[in-house]
Amino acid sequence: MQAIRTTTSSSDSAKRSRQGPGRDLLPLLAGAATVVAGVGAFLALADADSPLRGPFTLFFLLAAPSVAIAAALRGLEPLGRVLAAVAGAVTLNMLVAQGMLAVHRWSVPGGIVAVSALSSLILLLVSARRRRGRTAGGRTP
């Protein structure tokens, strides 16, 4: 007679946990956040009279730099990364506003463009650093 084992290996349980109904929730939320942020930036740049303009634009001004800064802080634990990214986003927004006020060039569309450009620059630098680290680490002398 042969004994049948009912224990599963860790790889089997990991496969089962990825097959649950909530496995596609994170990409769905990220896509929804991207759409909300994009609509907020569009409404602010188009100067549209909409009740959603304020909240969506505020979401864009917090989310765009937060995502860029969080991408640069991969080594931190998740809670620390979120806190540092949000604090960095608030700081970046304040520096953009202060700089625009100092040179007497304050405008809402200008602030949106400046925050977008700085967030894109941060993401570009992070991706360039990762790509350079991958190619330098792959070579052997």
Side-chain angles (χ1 to χ4, degrees):
M1 208 172 203
Q2 201 174 23
I4 299 174
R5 298 190 184 261
T6 58
T7 60
T8 59
S9 68
S10 62
S11 64
D12 291 341
S13 63
K15 286 179 186 176
R16 277 195 211 120
S17 67
R18 282 184 254 149
Q19 294 175 353
R23 72 182 174 111
D24 291 334
L25 188 60
L26 189 60
L28 180 67
L29 290 175
T34 303
V35 168
V36 168
V39 168
F42 174 76
L43 289 174
L45 290 173
D47 199 23
D49 289 332
S50 171
L52 297 176
R53 177 183 173 191
F56 283 11
T57 303
L58 180 63
F59 182 76
F60 170 78
L61 288 173
L62 287 175
S66 292
V67 169
I69 293 170
L73 300 174
R74 288 267 176 172
L76 292 179
E77 293 184 14
L79 181 62
R81 187 171 17 163
V82 168
L83 290 175
V86 171
V90 170
T91 303
L92 181 78
N93 287 325
M94 289 173 51
L95 287 173
V96 166
Q98 186 177 9
M100 291 177 74
L101 287 171
V103 297
H104 303 288
R105 297 288 182 204
W106 170 253
S107 70
V108 173
I112 298 290
V113 169
V115 169
S116 300
L118 290 172
S119 299
S120 299
L121 180 66
I122 292 170
L123 277 175
L124 181 67
L125 291 173
V126 167
S127 66
R129 183 183 67 185
R130 286 199 183 127
R131 188 174 305 135
R132 185 182 65 210
R134 220 179 299 147
T135 58
R139 294 184 205 150
T140 55

